[in-house]
């Protein structure tokens, strides 16, 4: 479990901290929709998601600021409904600059690699 701060990108002064499972198989994070709405975060789109067992469900998505270990980063977030697990997915983890090491079962700093631009060609 990980204690993550959730903030509204438009009004980041107020944070709500939630306990999240780390799900390295999940693309997006899932936070209870009531918590997101209480922070003033509104859904901006709807997506059909595929569960691990192959079933599908439709959920609303929005954007939130995630806070962990002194870092803040914007990430898409699924508006969780009753029965949904609260979890942090890989997009949010990577935005925060961390990766999950499944062997040691801990978060490690992500190695940020940037490729240089190719040299400009002369005409």
């Amino acid at each position: 479990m990980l204690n993550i701060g959730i903030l509204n990108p438009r009004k980041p002064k107020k944070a709500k901290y939630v306990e999240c499972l780390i799900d390295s198989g999940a693309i997006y994070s899932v936070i209870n929709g009531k918590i997101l709405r209480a922070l003033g975060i509104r859904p901006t789109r709807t997506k059909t998601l595929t569960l691990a067992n192959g079933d599908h469900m439709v959920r609303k998505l929005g954007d939130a600021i995630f806070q962990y270990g002194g870092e803040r980063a914007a990430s898409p977030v699924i508006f969780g409904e009753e029965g949904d697990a609260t979890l942090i997915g890989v997009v949010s983890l990577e935005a925060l600059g961390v990766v999950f090491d499944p062997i040691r079962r801990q978060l490690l700093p992500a190695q940020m690699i940037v490729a240089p631009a190719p040299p400009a060609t002369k005409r």
Side-chain angles (χ1 to χ4, degrees):
M1 294 291 272
L2 200 61
N3 195 29
I4 296 287
I6 308 296
L7 300 90
N8 182 330
R10 292 189 177 111
K11 300 175 186 173
K13 297 221 187 275
K14 186 169 97 172
K16 172 73 175 171
Y17 285 83
V18 294
E19 289 288 323
C20 297
L21 294 170
I22 299 170
D23 189 343
S24 59
I27 303 298
Y28 294 131
S29 298
V30 180
I31 304 296
N32 185 298
K34 291 178 184 178
I35 292 171
L36 296 173
R37 286 183 183 88
L39 289 168
I41 298 170
R42 301 290 174 242
T44 57
R45 56 206 179 277
T46 301
K47 293 273 187 190
T48 300
L49 309 169
T50 304
L51 303 175
N53 67 2
D55 289 345
H56 300 283
M57 66 180 187
V58 176
R59 292 290 183 269
K60 294 181 188 308
L61 273 81
D63 299 297
I65 301 288
F66 287 75
Q67 183 171 293
Y68 174 76
E71 296 290 330
R72 284 184 175 183
S75 179
V77 62
I78 295 170
F79 281 64
E81 296 179 7
E82 190 171 326
D84 292 348
T86 300
L87 58 89
I88 186 162
V90 294
V91 171
S92 302
L93 291 173
E94 289 178 0
L96 288 164
V98 295
V99 294
F100 181 67
D101 179 346
I103 305 298
R104 293 185 241 165
R105 301 185 57 79
Q106 63 185 23
L107 291 177
L108 301 172
Q111 192 173 28
M112 301 295 181
I113 299 171
V114 177
T121 58
K122 294 183 181 181
R123 292 187 184 199

